[in-house]
Amino acid sequence: MSNSLDDVVSGALGVLDTHGLEFCSMRRVASALGVQPSALYHHVPDKQTLLALMADRIVADVHAPVDGSREQRALAVCHGLRDAMLSIRDGADVVATASAFRLGASGIESDLAEVLGDRDGARTLLLYVFGHTQATQDHRLASAVGVLEADPDLDASFDRGLAIVMRGLAD
Amino acid sequence: MSNSLDDVVSGALGVLDTHGLEFCSMRRVASALGVQPSALYHHVPDKQTLLALMADRIVADVHAPVDGSREQRALAVCHGLRDAMLSIRDGADVVATASAFRLGASGIESDLAEVLGDRDGARTLLLYVFGHTQATQDHRLASAVGVLEADPDLDASFDRGLAIVMRGLAD
DNA sequence: ACCTGAACACCGTTCAAGT
DNA sequence: ACCTGAACACCGTTCAAGT
């Protein structure tokens, strides 16, 4: 059976979730799809592009709700983003790296900027969400492996930091 | 001549600055030191540890000034950190990655927490500085290579985001 | 203590050729 | 359009052995 680009992205996300970013190689993705490594290059010019497509898919369903106050809508986006990234192994690393590369050009940053009416505020909030979620996920992995003790406060810490940034944005 | 651990870290930083993180391999570092790849493992257990030592050295001279208001001292740390990371190629990536892994355990986070009297505030500020600086550096590289147009506003954008977070921290 | 030499099990990417 | 097969130029890490 022929694979489509969507199949390739799905296959890559499967490898990511079961083996982690470190082992998410073009060769592994190819073998998960039952295909030679070189076949992937028919769908994608390079690995970086594949990672960007994976990032897009991870956050694809994150949108601002239509009603609520500005603050409520912004918080919903931040929590949705965090949950989406945490829902897949190393998701935060994948999304944060891809997003750092196109700051200002991401759909979510525009969404957030529209909700808040503040481009700098949107960027600041987004960078915070990426950074904290990445740290949370790395920390969880490390404590699962046993190199660090678990920090049960990370979710509360996220909300407290979010509150700090939102307070700075209040008009 | 025998190499010390410090020599290895210096050599690695040299390779990083001239070739970038992508090409900062154990093999290249070894060859820059005039030594076989396996020799590095006498000084360092693995590449990840070497990257952490490089990160420590990049930010080694960043400290809070002794006088000034709380806000002034915190801003000085943030700017010092940003400048230190931008002073070497891919420095922000190296520092941010190493720091995400030990959130709460870094010296700068403690420094900042002491200055601000607020652990969550320190973490929030730090994540913002890492994220924005990483995006700035990636963006500059991409525009130097020509894949993105340059954004001359990135430095001003950094200060505006910093002001937002500081405002959220005001008591 | 610091290093060599050789090996192991991998990488991303290219390219001619097949269907 | 989608894929194979083979190759190129690399990786990180281990380990016995040398000085």
Side-chain angles (χ1 to χ4, degrees), chain B residues 66-95:
Chain B
V66 285
D67 39 40
S69 69
R70 232 160 32 186
E71 173 160 355
Q72 284 172 328
R73 295 173 72 209
L75 287 177
V77 171
C78 293
H79 278 116
L81 204 51
R82 177 172 162 94
D83 291 345
M85 293 191 286
L86 290 177
S87 73
I88 181 170
R89 166 121 83 129
D90 289 336
D93 280 306
V94 171
V95 174

PDB file of all heavy atoms in Angstrom, chain B residues 66-95:
ATOM      1  N   VAL B  66      25.121  43.997  43.093  1.00  0.00           N
ATOM      2  CA  VAL B  66      24.871  44.101  44.532  1.00  0.00           C
ATOM      3  C   VAL B  66      23.919  45.224  44.916  1.00  0.00           C
ATOM      4  O   VAL B  66      23.242  45.146  45.938  1.00  0.00           O
ATOM      5  CB  VAL B  66      26.181  44.273  45.333  1.00  0.00           C
ATOM      6  CG1 VAL B  66      26.914  42.940  45.406  1.00  0.00           C
ATOM      7  CG2 VAL B  66      27.063  45.337  44.704  1.00  0.00           C
ATOM      8  N   ASP B  67      23.897  46.289  44.101  1.00  0.00           N
ATOM      9  CA  ASP B  67      22.932  47.329  44.478  1.00  0.00           C
ATOM     10  C   ASP B  67      21.966  47.699  43.358  1.00  0.00           C
ATOM     11  O   ASP B  67      22.101  47.255  42.230  1.00  0.00           O
ATOM     12  CB  ASP B  67      23.636  48.578  45.029  1.00  0.00           C
ATOM     13  CG  ASP B  67      24.904  48.907  44.266  1.00  0.00           C
ATOM     14  OD1 ASP B  67      24.888  48.763  43.017  1.00  0.00           O
ATOM     15  OD2 ASP B  67      25.898  49.280  44.912  1.00  0.00           O
ATOM     16  N   GLY B  68      21.016  48.499  43.730  1.00  0.00           N
ATOM     17  CA  GLY B  68      19.908  48.835  42.842  1.00  0.00           C
ATOM     18  C   GLY B  68      18.620  48.300  43.431  1.00  0.00           C
ATOM     19  O   GLY B  68      18.637  47.541  44.401  1.00  0.00           O
ATOM     20  N   SER B  69      17.512  48.703  42.826  1.00  0.00           N
ATOM     21  CA  SER B  69      16.215  48.201  43.292  1.00  0.00           C
ATOM     22  C   SER B  69      16.060  46.746  42.903  1.00  0.00           C
ATOM     23  O   SER B  69      16.838  46.221  42.092  1.00  0.00           O
ATOM     24  CB  SER B  69      15.089  49.016  42.658  1.00  0.00           C
ATOM     25  OG  SER B  69      15.044  48.734  41.268  1.00  0.00           O
ATOM     26  N   ARG B  70      15.066  46.095  43.463  1.00  0.00           N
ATOM     27  CA  ARG B  70      14.802  44.713  43.110  1.00  0.00           C
ATOM     28  C   ARG B  70      14.600  44.565  41.610  1.00  0.00           C
ATOM     29  O   ARG B  70      15.156  43.671  40.984  1.00  0.00           O
ATOM     30  CB  ARG B  70      13.537  44.244  43.842  1.00  0.00           C
ATOM     31  CG  ARG B  70      13.808  42.982  44.580  1.00  0.00           C
ATOM     32  CD  ARG B  70      12.856  42.673  45.672  1.00  0.00           C
ATOM     33  NE  ARG B  70      11.505  43.128  45.474  1.00  0.00           N
ATOM     34  CZ  ARG B  70      10.574  43.013  46.424  1.00  0.00           C
ATOM     35  NH1 ARG B  70      10.900  42.452  47.568  1.00  0.00           N
ATOM     36  NH2 ARG B  70       9.366  43.441  46.234  1.00  0.00           N
ATOM     37  N   GLU B  71      13.817  45.472  41.061  1.00  0.00           N
ATOM     38  CA  GLU B  71      13.540  45.412  39.629  1.00  0.00           C
ATOM     39  C   GLU B  71      14.810  45.611  38.804  1.00  0.00           C
ATOM     40  O   GLU B  71      15.064  44.859  37.846  1.00  0.00           O
ATOM     41  CB  GLU B  71      12.499  46.477  39.256  1.00  0.00           C
ATOM     42  CG  GLU B  71      12.307  46.576  37.752  1.00  0.00           C
ATOM     43  CD  GLU B  71      10.987  47.225  37.378  1.00  0.00           C
ATOM     44  OE1 GLU B  71      10.181  47.507  38.277  1.00  0.00           O
ATOM     45  OE2 GLU B  71      10.768  47.436  36.166  1.00  0.00           O
ATOM     46  N   GLN B  72      15.628  46.574  39.186  1.00  0.00           N
ATOM     47  CA  GLN B  72      16.870  46.830  38.452  1.00  0.00           C
ATOM     48  C   GLN B  72      17.802  45.630  38.494  1.00  0.00           C
ATOM     49  O   GLN B  72      18.412  45.265  37.483  1.00  0.00           O
ATOM     50  CB  GLN B  72      17.600  48.058  39.044  1.00  0.00           C
ATOM     51  CG  GLN B  72      16.977  49.384  38.672  1.00  0.00           C
ATOM     52  CD  GLN B  72      17.614  50.553  39.425  1.00  0.00           C
ATOM     53  OE1 GLN B  72      18.058  50.404  40.577  1.00  0.00           O
ATOM     54  NE2 GLN B  72      17.676  51.706  38.776  1.00  0.00           N
ATOM     55  N   ARG B  73      17.905  45.010  39.661  1.00  0.00           N
ATOM     56  CA  ARG B  73      18.802  43.855  39.785  1.00  0.00           C
ATOM     57  C   ARG B  73      18.301  42.681  38.963  1.00  0.00           C
ATOM     58  O   ARG B  73      19.074  42.004  38.287  1.00  0.00           O
ATOM     59  CB  ARG B  73      18.945  43.468  41.269  1.00  0.00           C
ATOM     60  CG  ARG B  73      19.629  44.566  42.098  1.00  0.00           C
ATOM     61  CD  ARG B  73      19.593  44.238  43.574  1.00  0.00           C
ATOM     62  NE  ARG B  73      20.506  43.148  43.904  1.00  0.00           N
ATOM     63  CZ  ARG B  73      20.329  42.293  44.918  1.00  0.00           C
ATOM     64  NH1 ARG B  73      19.252  42.409  45.690  1.00  0.00           N
ATOM     65  NH2 ARG B  73      21.198  41.348  45.141  1.00  0.00           N
ATOM     66  N   ALA B  74      16.997  42.454  38.995  1.00  0.00           N
ATOM     67  CA  ALA B  74      16.426  41.352  38.209  1.00  0.00           C
ATOM     68  C   ALA B  74      16.618  41.591  36.712  1.00  0.00           C
ATOM     69  O   ALA B  74      17.005  40.680  35.959  1.00  0.00           O
ATOM     70  CB  ALA B  74      14.943  41.191  38.534  1.00  0.00           C
ATOM     71  N   LEU B  75      16.389  42.821  36.285  1.00  0.00           N
ATOM     72  CA  LEU B  75      16.561  43.144  34.862  1.00  0.00           C
ATOM     73  C   LEU B  75      18.007  42.961  34.435  1.00  0.00           C
ATOM     74  O   LEU B  75      18.281  42.490  33.319  1.00  0.00           O
ATOM     75  CB  LEU B  75      16.100  44.579  34.574  1.00  0.00           C
ATOM     76  CG  LEU B  75      14.582  44.803  34.591  1.00  0.00           C
ATOM     77  CD1 LEU B  75      14.251  46.278  34.370  1.00  0.00           C
ATOM     78  CD2 LEU B  75      13.905  43.947  33.529  1.00  0.00           C
ATOM     79  N   ALA B  76      18.942  43.311  35.328  1.00  0.00           N
ATOM     80  CA  ALA B  76      20.359  43.146  35.003  1.00  0.00           C
ATOM     81  C   ALA B  76      20.698  41.676  34.797  1.00  0.00           C
ATOM     82  O   ALA B  76      21.437  41.316  33.867  1.00  0.00           O
ATOM     83  CB  ALA B  76      21.224  43.746  36.112  1.00  0.00           C
ATOM     84  N   VAL B  77      20.154  40.810  35.632  1.00  0.00           N
ATOM     85  CA  VAL B  77      20.381  39.373  35.473  1.00  0.00           C
ATOM     86  C   VAL B  77      19.821  38.896  34.123  1.00  0.00           C
ATOM     87  O   VAL B  77      20.487  38.179  33.376  1.00  0.00           O
ATOM     88  CB  VAL B  77      19.748  38.568  36.627  1.00  0.00           C
ATOM     89  CG1 VAL B  77      19.803  37.072  36.329  1.00  0.00           C
ATOM     90  CG2 VAL B  77      20.452  38.874  37.947  1.00  0.00           C
ATOM     91  N   CYS B  78      18.614  39.319  33.808  1.00  0.00           N
ATOM     92  CA  CYS B  78      17.979  38.894  32.551  1.00  0.00           C
ATOM     93  C   CYS B  78      18.781  39.353  31.345  1.00  0.00           C
ATOM     94  O   CYS B  78      19.008  38.582  30.401  1.00  0.00           O
ATOM     95  CB  CYS B  78      16.554  39.441  32.460  1.00  0.00           C
ATOM     96  SG  CYS B  78      15.450  38.710  33.686  1.00  0.00           S
ATOM     97  N   HIS B  79      19.217  40.593  31.361  1.00  0.00           N
ATOM     98  CA  HIS B  79      20.008  41.091  30.226  1.00  0.00           C
ATOM     99  C   HIS B  79      21.371  40.430  30.164  1.00  0.00           C
ATOM    100  O   HIS B  79      21.874  40.128  29.090  1.00  0.00           O
ATOM    101  CB  HIS B  79      20.148  42.618  30.307  1.00  0.00           C
ATOM    102  CG  HIS B  79      18.954  43.352  29.769  1.00  0.00           C
ATOM    103  ND1 HIS B  79      18.153  44.152  30.543  1.00  0.00           N
ATOM    104  CD2 HIS B  79      18.404  43.369  28.533  1.00  0.00           C
ATOM    105  CE1 HIS B  79      17.167  44.649  29.807  1.00  0.00           C
ATOM    106  NE2 HIS B  79      17.283  44.194  28.586  1.00  0.00           N
ATOM    107  N   GLY B  80      21.972  40.202  31.319  1.00  0.00           N
ATOM    108  CA  GLY B  80      23.273  39.526  31.363  1.00  0.00           C
ATOM    109  C   GLY B  80      23.181  38.122  30.792  1.00  0.00           C
ATOM    110  O   GLY B  80      24.046  37.678  30.024  1.00  0.00           O
ATOM    111  N   LEU B  81      22.108  37.458  31.147  1.00  0.00           N
ATOM    112  CA  LEU B  81      21.878  36.099  30.678  1.00  0.00           C
ATOM    113  C   LEU B  81      21.694  36.088  29.167  1.00  0.00           C
ATOM    114  O   LEU B  81      22.294  35.271  28.441  1.00  0.00           O
ATOM    115  CB  LEU B  81      20.624  35.575  31.366  1.00  0.00           C
ATOM    116  CG  LEU B  81      20.457  34.088  31.514  1.00  0.00           C
ATOM    117  CD1 LEU B  81      21.687  33.481  32.129  1.00  0.00           C
ATOM    118  CD2 LEU B  81      19.231  33.812  32.380  1.00  0.00           C
ATOM    119  N   ARG B  82      20.862  36.993  28.713  1.00  0.00           N
ATOM    120  CA  ARG B  82      20.612  37.073  27.263  1.00  0.00           C
ATOM    121  C   ARG B  82      21.908  37.362  26.498  1.00  0.00           C
ATOM    122  O   ARG B  82      22.209  36.696  25.508  1.00  0.00           O
ATOM    123  CB  ARG B  82      19.575  38.167  26.991  1.00  0.00           C
ATOM    124  CG  ARG B  82      19.296  38.393  25.512  1.00  0.00           C
ATOM    125  CD  ARG B  82      18.124  39.354  25.339  1.00  0.00           C
ATOM    126  NE  ARG B  82      18.059  39.939  24.022  1.00  0.00           N
ATOM    127  CZ  ARG B  82      17.337  39.468  23.015  1.00  0.00           C
ATOM    128  NH1 ARG B  82      16.632  38.383  23.194  1.00  0.00           N
ATOM    129  NH2 ARG B  82      17.328  40.068  21.850  1.00  0.00           N
ATOM    130  N   ASP B  83      22.677  38.337  26.988  1.00  0.00           N
ATOM    131  CA  ASP B  83      23.924  38.682  26.306  1.00  0.00           C
ATOM    132  C   ASP B  83      24.894  37.501  26.295  1.00  0.00           C
ATOM    133  O   ASP B  83      25.556  37.244  25.292  1.00  0.00           O
ATOM    134  CB  ASP B  83      24.582  39.892  26.979  1.00  0.00           C
ATOM    135  CG  ASP B  83      23.782  41.170  26.754  1.00  0.00           C
ATOM    136  OD1 ASP B  83      22.901  41.173  25.868  1.00  0.00           O
ATOM    137  OD2 ASP B  83      24.021  42.162  27.476  1.00  0.00           O
ATOM    138  N   ALA B  84      24.974  36.806  27.420  1.00  0.00           N
ATOM    139  CA  ALA B  84      25.892  35.663  27.508  1.00  0.00           C
ATOM    140  C   ALA B  84      25.505  34.584  26.508  1.00  0.00           C
ATOM    141  O   ALA B  84      26.351  34.033  25.796  1.00  0.00           O
ATOM    142  CB  ALA B  84      25.888  35.094  28.931  1.00  0.00           C
ATOM    143  N   MET B  85      24.221  34.303  26.396  1.00  0.00           N
ATOM    144  CA  MET B  85      23.775  33.267  25.472  1.00  0.00           C
ATOM    145  C   MET B  85      23.963  33.677  24.020  1.00  0.00           C
ATOM    146  O   MET B  85      24.316  32.860  23.167  1.00  0.00           O
ATOM    147  CB  MET B  85      22.302  32.925  25.741  1.00  0.00           C
ATOM    148  CG  MET B  85      22.089  32.246  27.081  1.00  0.00           C
ATOM    149  SD  MET B  85      20.428  31.563  27.286  1.00  0.00           S
ATOM    150  CE  MET B  85      19.463  33.044  27.536  1.00  0.00           C
ATOM    151  N   LEU B  86      23.755  34.976  23.758  1.00  0.00           N
ATOM    152  CA  LEU B  86      23.903  35.454  22.376  1.00  0.00           C
ATOM    153  C   LEU B  86      25.363  35.611  21.962  1.00  0.00           C
ATOM    154  O   LEU B  86      25.660  35.742  20.780  1.00  0.00           O
ATOM    155  CB  LEU B  86      23.177  36.796  22.184  1.00  0.00           C
ATOM    156  CG  LEU B  86      21.644  36.749  22.215  1.00  0.00           C
ATOM    157  CD1 LEU B  86      21.072  38.158  22.077  1.00  0.00           C
ATOM    158  CD2 LEU B  86      21.098  35.846  21.116  1.00  0.00           C
ATOM    159  N   SER B  87      26.273  35.576  22.948  1.00  0.00           N
ATOM    160  CA  SER B  87      27.683  35.838  22.645  1.00  0.00           C
ATOM    161  C   SER B  87      28.362  34.653  21.979  1.00  0.00           C
ATOM    162  O   SER B  87      29.490  34.758  21.510  1.00  0.00           O
ATOM    163  CB  SER B  87      28.438  36.209  23.924  1.00  0.00           C
ATOM    164  OG  SER B  87      28.613  35.061  24.738  1.00  0.00           O
ATOM    165  N   ILE B  88      27.708  33.511  21.939  1.00  0.00           N
ATOM    166  CA  ILE B  88      28.303  32.349  21.294  1.00  0.00           C
ATOM    167  C   ILE B  88      27.251  31.662  20.425  1.00  0.00           C
ATOM    168  O   ILE B  88      26.070  31.613  20.793  1.00  0.00           O
ATOM    169  CB  ILE B  88      28.884  31.369  22.349  1.00  0.00           C
ATOM    170  CG1 ILE B  88      29.534  30.173  21.674  1.00  0.00           C
ATOM    171  CG2 ILE B  88      27.833  30.932  23.337  1.00  0.00           C
ATOM    172  CD1 ILE B  88      30.325  29.298  22.644  1.00  0.00           C
ATOM    173  N   ARG B  89      27.674  31.160  19.296  1.00  0.00           N
ATOM    174  CA  ARG B  89      26.749  30.523  18.359  1.00  0.00           C
ATOM    175  C   ARG B  89      25.969  29.396  19.030  1.00  0.00           C
ATOM    176  O   ARG B  89      26.554  28.530  19.702  1.00  0.00           O
ATOM    177  CB  ARG B  89      27.550  29.971  17.169  1.00  0.00           C
ATOM    178  CG  ARG B  89      26.766  29.018  16.301  1.00  0.00           C
ATOM    179  CD  ARG B  89      26.645  29.449  14.866  1.00  0.00           C
ATOM    180  NE  ARG B  89      27.814  29.080  14.082  1.00  0.00           N
ATOM    181  CZ  ARG B  89      27.770  28.424  12.900  1.00  0.00           C
ATOM    182  NH1 ARG B  89      26.595  28.062  12.395  1.00  0.00           N
ATOM    183  NH2 ARG B  89      28.872  28.171  12.252  1.00  0.00           N
ATOM    184  N   ASP B  90      24.639  29.431  18.845  1.00  0.00           N
ATOM    185  CA  ASP B  90      23.742  28.414  19.411  1.00  0.00           C
ATOM    186  C   ASP B  90      23.807  28.329  20.940  1.00  0.00           C
ATOM    187  O   ASP B  90      23.373  27.337  21.529  1.00  0.00           O
ATOM    188  CB  ASP B  90      24.036  27.030  18.810  1.00  0.00           C
ATOM    189  CG  ASP B  90      23.602  26.933  17.351  1.00  0.00           C
ATOM    190  OD1 ASP B  90      22.718  27.701  16.947  1.00  0.00           O
ATOM    191  OD2 ASP B  90      24.158  26.093  16.615  1.00  0.00           O
ATOM    192  N   GLY B  91      24.333  29.395  21.574  1.00  0.00           N
ATOM    193  CA  GLY B  91      24.443  29.408  23.028  1.00  0.00           C
ATOM    194  C   GLY B  91      23.090  29.280  23.726  1.00  0.00           C
ATOM    195  O   GLY B  91      22.977  28.607  24.755  1.00  0.00           O
ATOM    196  N   ALA B  92      22.069  29.926  23.168  1.00  0.00           N
ATOM    197  CA  ALA B  92      20.749  29.877  23.802  1.00  0.00           C
ATOM    198  C   ALA B  92      20.199  28.452  23.793  1.00  0.00           C
ATOM    199  O   ALA B  92      19.636  27.990  24.784  1.00  0.00           O
ATOM    200  CB  ALA B  92      19.791  30.836  23.100  1.00  0.00           C
ATOM    201  N   ASP B  93      20.375  27.749  22.687  1.00  0.00           N
ATOM    202  CA  ASP B  93      19.903  26.364  22.620  1.00  0.00           C
ATOM    203  C   ASP B  93      20.595  25.499  23.668  1.00  0.00           C
ATOM    204  O   ASP B  93      19.952  24.720  24.371  1.00  0.00           O
ATOM    205  CB  ASP B  93      20.174  25.767  21.229  1.00  0.00           C
ATOM    206  CG  ASP B  93      19.142  26.200  20.213  1.00  0.00           C
ATOM    207  OD1 ASP B  93      17.944  26.006  20.473  1.00  0.00           O
ATOM    208  OD2 ASP B  93      19.526  26.738  19.164  1.00  0.00           O
ATOM    209  N   VAL B  94      21.902  25.661  23.765  1.00  0.00           N
ATOM    210  CA  VAL B  94      22.672  24.843  24.707  1.00  0.00           C
ATOM    211  C   VAL B  94      22.244  25.122  26.144  1.00  0.00           C
ATOM    212  O   VAL B  94      21.960  24.192  26.913  1.00  0.00           O
ATOM    213  CB  VAL B  94      24.190  25.107  24.538  1.00  0.00           C
ATOM    214  CG1 VAL B  94      24.978  24.431  25.647  1.00  0.00           C
ATOM    215  CG2 VAL B  94      24.657  24.624  23.171  1.00  0.00           C
ATOM    216  N   VAL B  95      22.144  26.410  26.490  1.00  0.00           N
ATOM    217  CA  VAL B  95      21.790  26.775  27.863  1.00  0.00           C
ATOM    218  C   VAL B  95      20.342  26.418  28.185  1.00  0.00           C
ATOM    219  O   VAL B  95      20.049  25.854  29.249  1.00  0.00           O
ATOM    220  CB  VAL B  95      22.039  28.278  28.114  1.00  0.00           C
ATOM    221  CG1 VAL B  95      21.531  28.689  29.492  1.00  0.00           C
ATOM    222  CG2 VAL B  95      23.528  28.596  27.991  1.00  0.00           C
TER     223      VAL B  95
END
